[in-house]
Amino acid sequence: MNLKELLKQKLDRQAELVGVAVQENRGMSAEEQAEFDTLEGEIKSLETTIQSQEKVAQRAAELNTPVNSAVVPAVAGSSVEVKEKKWKSFGEMLQSVRKAAIPAAEGGRIDNRLLDGIRGAATGSNETISSEGGFLVDEQYVTDLLTKTYDSAVVAGKTWDIPIGANANRLRMNGIDEKSRANGSRYGGVQAYWSGEAQTVTATKPKFRKIELELDKLFALCYATDELLEDSTALEAVITKAFQDEMAFKLDDAIINGSGAGVPLGILNCPALVTVAKESNQTAGTIAHENILKMYNRVWARSRMNAAWFINQECEPQLENMTVTIGTAGEISPYAKEYADKGTIKGKPVYTIEQCSGLGAVGDIILADMSQYIMIHKGGITPATSVHVRFLYDEQVFRFTYRVNGMPGWNAPLSPYKGTTTLSPFVALATRA
């Protein structure tokens, strides 16, 4: 708790003491008055200390001696350049990151506005400001960058997003270990009884499983010409577009296809995935009316509200031309008509994404409730630039680092209370080869 938070806490307590007395239409008691007076003395002392702290910080800034300046991860020989506090644009900040990577003898300067976003310097020999020793993107641009990235990501923006705090690098939580809806298995072992079912009742309790996710690093590289680096407006537009598109692509790809080793665990590799078998004698590389019907039937009923279809673009002609057999003849499937008219199937939206498998392979069409997929991330985005990469081409490279990970919240399909067909929030169609 910092001094200002402590001050607010004491002011709130003073207001509470006065509020109780006013509400009860009386003066404060001797004990309340004594506490109020004690708080008054502590408040004045805190206010004085805060004012002194602000004066010291202001003088240090004026003298160009920022607090903790010893941890500046600058290239040897760089000097600090003092400027006004606020950035005019994200492009201006990127220009300063580039300048901070250049030795002072070659004209490099560290803008003091970068010092608030320092990450500890990397160990070992290096010629760049690495992701471990770079500058965090200024707070005024972090939210915008992440928002644009998740807006561009078709799948990632639909997951259960959990931010990780400053003092943690992983998520640990308990999840219900439920694999069956049979009596005695719901919530992993909870069972209720009607009074007439038995004279004795066995005590039951829920069963939990540990969910643990550690942050991984996602890197994005973007090359910029020296001419582009001179124009902060153009630089911001190009870097922001390149960053958001590439990061969004990789996030979606990992959520669909990730192995779980150094990357998020994708739904196609998770043990909770239900794979619907192809129809007997089904032609290779096709999608049939019955495939859609059976996939929808395997989605956990509670997930149907949030479920969506994710398809490869090669699937579109198949979906529009599905037929259903009527007697000895056939006609266009109602699902095909719905898709052609509304872009939905069974009332659920259809998203065409590159990350789905090619037509005929597992993952070319997926029905999933992405709210059952857990994503964790740690807020800061770190840009760094290399001094020497692509030197002969008059180009420099920006590297962005984002700490993120994810996995499905389910670890197995669910057996229903009645029937034998397992259910899941994640359903794919088997290979049709």
Side-chain angles (χ1 to χ4, degrees):
M1 181 181 296
N2 60 38
L3 293 181
K4 289 186 178 181
E5 290 172 341
L6 182 59
L7 175 60
K8 183 179 183 304
Q9 187 181 77
K10 294 184 181 298
L11 288 169
D12 288 344
R13 178 54 183 163
Q14 270 193 333
E16 182 182 349
L17 291 169
V18 174
V20 170
V22 171
Q23 186 177 5
E24 296 178 359
N25 198 26
R26 60 172 177 81
M28 287 190 290
S29 66
E31 292 80 5
E32 290 171 334
Q33 187 64 56
E35 183 180 356
F36 184 92
D37 293 340
T38 300
L39 288 167
E40 184 67 21
E42 294 172 349
I43 288 169
K44 289 181 178 179
S45 176
L46 282 169
E47 288 174 338
T48 301
T49 303
I50 290 170
Q51 290 173 0
S52 299
Q53 181 186 38
E54 291 173 347
K55 286 180 180 178
V56 169
Q58 182 180 356
R59 288 169 182 166
E62 290 171 353
L63 293 171
N64 192 25
T65 54
V67 179
N68 297 327
S69 59
V71 300
V72 176
V75 172
S78 294
S79 59
V80 177
E81 180 180 7
V82 180
K83 287 190 176 181
E84 73 241 24
K85 190 60 183 171
K86 292 296 182 182
W87 300 100
K88 294 177 182 177
S89 68
F90 182 45
E92 183 189 17
M93 181 188 174
L94 292 173
Q95 286 180 326
S96 295
V97 172
R98 172 224 186 182
K99 188 179 290 187
I102 302 173
E106 300 175 19
R109 294 288 187 275
I110 298 179
D111 192 316
N112 72 323
R113 290 173 292 182
L114 292 171
L115 302 182
D116 288 337
I118 295 170
R119 297 193 70 162
T123 58
S125 175
N126 65 84
E127 293 180 318
T128 68
I129 299 177
S130 72
S131 63
E132 290 82 8
F135 301 100
L136 293 178
V137 173
D138 193 276
E139 195 171 300
Q140 66 192 102
Y141 305 116
V142 168
T143 301
D144 187 50
L145 271 175
L146 285 177
T147 299
K148 288 179 178 178
T149 297
Y150 276 84
D151 283 348
S152 298
V154 178
V155 186
K158 296 173 175 57
T159 60
W160 178 15
D161 182 57
I162 303 176
I164 301 298
N167 298 319
N169 290 310
R170 68 181 64 188
L171 169 71
R172 287 176 175 168
M173 60 186 288
N174 287 327
I176 298 296
D177 191 11
E178 183 182 55
K179 297 182 177 68
S180 172
R181 296 293 294 170
N183 285 334
S185 298
R186 290 184 288 275
Y187 285 87
V190 173
Q191 184 172 359
Y193 298 85
W194 292 103
S195 59
E197 283 185 337
Q199 293 182 350
T200 60
V201 174
T202 302
T204 59
K205 62 181 179 181
K207 182 181 178 182
F208 296 93
R209 63 184 178 89
K210 184 178 291 185
I211 296 175
E212 186 167 343
L213 263 177
E214 292 191 4
L215 289 162
D216 284 321
K217 289 182 182 179
L218 177 61
F219 296 91
L221 297 178
C222 181
Y223 292 95
T225 64
D226 285 350
E227 290 83 2
L228 180 61
L229 288 165
E230 296 302 320
D231 186 340
S232 64
T233 301
L235 177 63
E236 176 176 354
V238 171
I239 295 291
T240 300
K241 177 65 174 173
F243 169 84
Q244 72 185 50
D245 284 355
E246 179 59 16
M247 288 289 206
F249 182 95
K250 295 296 286 187
L251 283 172
D252 279 355
D253 188 47
I255 293 169
I256 298 293
N257 300 300
S259 66
V263 298
L265 177 61
I267 61 177
L268 291 181
N269 294 313
C270 82
L273 178 70
V274 164
T275 304
V276 173
K278 68 176 184 177
E279 295 299 295
S280 59
N281 301 319
Q282 182 172 348
T283 305
T286 60
I287 299 175
H289 170 92
E290 291 78 10
N291 297 152
I292 299 298
L293 182 65
K294 292 178 180 179
M295 287 181 70
Y296 189 79
N297 180 251
R298 298 294 296 278
V299 172
W300 185 45
R302 297 184 191 179
S303 281
R304 288 180 177 174
M305 180 180 296
N306 296 318
W309 301 88
F310 301 95
I311 66 169
N312 186 291
Q313 191 166 335
E314 293 178 346
C315 297
E316 292 176 338
Q318 290 293 316
L319 295 177
E320 291 185 8
N321 291 289
M322 289 184 296
T323 61
V324 59
T325 301
I326 305 294
T328 58
E331 63 177 41
I332 292 294
S333 162
Y335 304 147
K337 292 178 181 178
E338 179 187 353
Y339 177 67
D341 293 342
K342 302 178 181 179
T344 62
I345 300 176
K346 298 286 284 187
K348 305 303 170 188
V350 180
Y351 297 99
T352 302
I353 60 174
E354 297 177 77
Q355 294 82 358
C356 279
S357 306
L359 180 64
V362 176
D364 62 344
I365 178 168
I366 300 168
L367 181 57
D369 172 12
M370 296 312 303
S371 70
Q372 299 299 307
Y373 189 97
I374 302 170
M375 287 286 291
I376 64 171
H377 68 88
K378 198 163 185 176
I381 302 170
T382 309
T385 182
S386 169
V387 185
H388 304 292
V389 175
R390 301 281 291 181
F391 174 77
L392 294 178
Y393 298 89
D394 287 332
E395 289 182 341
Q396 292 192 29
V397 61
F398 282 94
R399 179 173 65 189
F400 291 86
T401 306
Y402 181 42
R403 303 186 68 193
V404 63
N405 205 350
M407 63 180 288
W410 287 44
N411 65 342
L414 183 68
S415 297
Y417 174 49
K418 302 285 189 180
T420 58
T421 305
T422 55
L423 308 170
S424 173
F426 311 110
V427 179
L429 185 58
T431 299
R432 287 88 61 216

